[in-house]
Amino acid sequence: MNLRIGLIGYGPAARVFHGPLISACPGAELAAAAVRNPESVTDAPLPIVTVDALLADPTVEAVVVATPSGSHHDVARRALEAGKHVVVDKPVTVTAAEADDLIALAAERRLVLTVFHNRRWDGDFLALRDLIAEGRLGRVLSFESNYDRFRPTVRARWREQAVPGSGLHYDLGSHLIDQALVLFGRPDVVRAELRAIRPGAEAVDDAIFTLGFGPTRALLRCRILVAEPGSRLVVQGDRATFRKMEIDPQEDHLRAGTVQTGPETGWLTVGREAGVAETQRLAIAPGRYGAFYDGFVAAVHDGAPPPVDPRDGRDVVRVIEAAIESSATGRDVRLEW
């Protein structure tokens, strides 16, 4: 039988990402969405109910928490207490302590808890993982990852207000930090500069992180006033350099109403000690965000590992907490895991 999944929250994350990906997933079925005031939603292609009604529905086995980040802990806890398997949109919580509480509760109730770090399935990131695994870059010395936008006007939405879990460091920063941790493990040291730079900005809209992984350094930037973005990824190894210019297009395709994307292009420059370096064009296979829900269904029905270990989501938040401390003090923060 299909895994019936309900959405808690019906904002952009639910409508653009979770709803379409669940609907396209074999073995999953989108049951309903829950909002505070169901009468306020008149154009949804699925039933709109209250949170209480969704959590009380015995036919709904799992829920997606797609509410503002500051509410993730409380909403996810309610869902676990109701016996539901849970997907939490990133970041999993605002603090690492909140994440640990959810992880312990899910283990106690023998329920699947996972975090929607969908950009693990970006096409360029999958290609980069393969290049590193195959040794084609050699020993990685530096990893530069940028997620920049140009939005000079502050918008009236919770992500740009002074509320828990708002700001680019929690939003786009979660993606960049998670990718770095997947590649290199837990960092030893974090340095960050988190700023609100637009007139009237209440939340962080310019974030730069430097993470140390032994001899490897990761420079992660998510900024709101970049009119001409540079490279999306630049990864320097002692044998070759990988460069990718544009960001993975899956989000744009989902916003346009399709989960299908096409191939992309990256560049691999191989060093030559006795001559000119050689640059090769790399065909990058389309990314596949749908793999997340394939994995979630397998975790619930077959006992497979969750598509994202919730402890990984907790580690991302721990790095964000260290970044907040570093930005406030102007010092490196050394992490003990």
Side-chain angles (χ1 to χ4, degrees):
M1 294 182 62
N2 285 344
L3 176 67
R4 283 175 54 79
I5 304 174
L7 305 173
I8 300 181
Y10 199 58
R15 294 195 306 268
V16 173
F17 289 95
H18 298 284
L21 292 174
I22 292 168
S23 296
C25 176
E29 178 183 346
L30 190 57
V35 299
R36 183 176 302 172
N37 180 15
E39 292 75 21
S40 66
V41 181
T42 59
D43 58 348
L46 75 170
I48 303 296
V49 300
T50 65
V51 175
D52 288 342
L54 184 68
L55 295 181
D57 187 341
T59 72
V60 176
E61 297 179 72
V63 299
V64 177
V65 177
T67 59
S69 298
S71 66
H72 282 183
H73 172 258
D74 291 345
V75 176
R77 188 168 233 290
R78 283 188 63 193
L80 292 168
E81 289 172 341
K84 309 299 185 185
H85 304 285
V86 175
V87 173
V88 187
D89 202 84
K90 61 78 204 164
V92 60
T93 51
V94 175
T95 69
E98 290 176 337
D100 283 331
D101 177 64
L102 296 181
I103 291 166
L105 180 58
E108 175 190 319
R109 301 294 176 93
R110 298 184 179 180
L111 295 167
V112 175
L113 171 68
T114 188
V115 190
F116 189 64
H117 278 297
N118 58 299
R119 289 196 174 272
R120 292 187 179 192
W121 289 273
D122 279 358
D124 48 23
F125 183 69
L126 294 172
L128 173 59
R129 290 190 72 177
D130 287 344
L131 289 172
I132 292 174
E134 294 164 3
R136 296 178 67 183
L137 299 182
R139 182 167 56 99
V140 175
L141 305 174
S142 68
F143 172 76
E144 180 182 329
S145 179
N146 301 302
Y147 196 163
D148 294 327
R149 293 170 169 172
F150 185 70
R151 293 179 178 172
T153 302
V154 177
R155 296 190 288 178
R157 56 177 193 156
W158 70 263
R159 295 181 190 276
E160 300 185 47
Q161 297 168 352
V163 297
S166 67
L168 283 187
H169 54 321
Y170 276 105
D171 184 18
L172 305 185
S174 290
H175 289 307
L176 303 186
I177 293 167
D178 181 66
Q179 288 185 339
L181 270 58
V182 169
L183 293 175
F184 308 115
R186 291 166 161 175
D188 310 309
V189 62
V190 175
R191 174 176 282 272
E193 185 177 5
L194 310 177
R195 302 185 296 164
I197 60 176
R198 292 175 298 174
E202 299 179 1
V204 170
D205 56 11
D206 188 276
I208 301 175
F209 312 83
T210 302
L211 310 184
F213 303 87
T216 303
R217 288 290 179 271
L219 176 61
L220 316 176
R221 293 179 289 209
C222 42
R223 299 166 295 182
I224 207 72
L225 289 179
V226 178
E228 186 178 2
S231 299
R232 164 69 186 97
L233 290 169
V234 181
V235 187
Q236 306 279 4
D238 61 8
R239 294 185 60 189
T241 296
F242 172 72
R243 184 183 298 272
K244 170 76 178 345
M245 297 304 295
E246 302 83 8
I247 198 162
D248 181 282
Q250 288 179 87
E251 179 174 347
D252 289 341
H253 283 262
L254 284 166
R255 291 186 183 280
T258 177
V259 298
Q260 303 298 321
T261 63
E264 300 179 81
T265 298
W267 304 94
L268 183 70
T269 300
V270 180
R272 295 282 186 264
E273 186 172 354
V276 177
E278 174 189 351
T279 298
Q280 310 165 8
R281 179 183 180 276
L282 290 181
I284 296 175
R288 42 191 176 88
Y289 292 165
F292 177 89
Y293 277 104
D294 293 339
F296 183 58
V297 170
V300 173
H301 281 172
D302 304 327
V308 175
D309 191 316
R311 293 171 295 185
D312 294 350
R314 182 266 322 279
D315 290 350
V316 168
V317 175
R318 179 69 188 92
V319 171
I320 293 173
E321 289 179 315
I324 294 170
E325 179 184 348
S326 172
S327 184
T329 63
R331 298 194 300 267
D332 291 353
V333 174
R334 297 206 164 268
L335 291 174
E336 305 227 351
W337 300 91

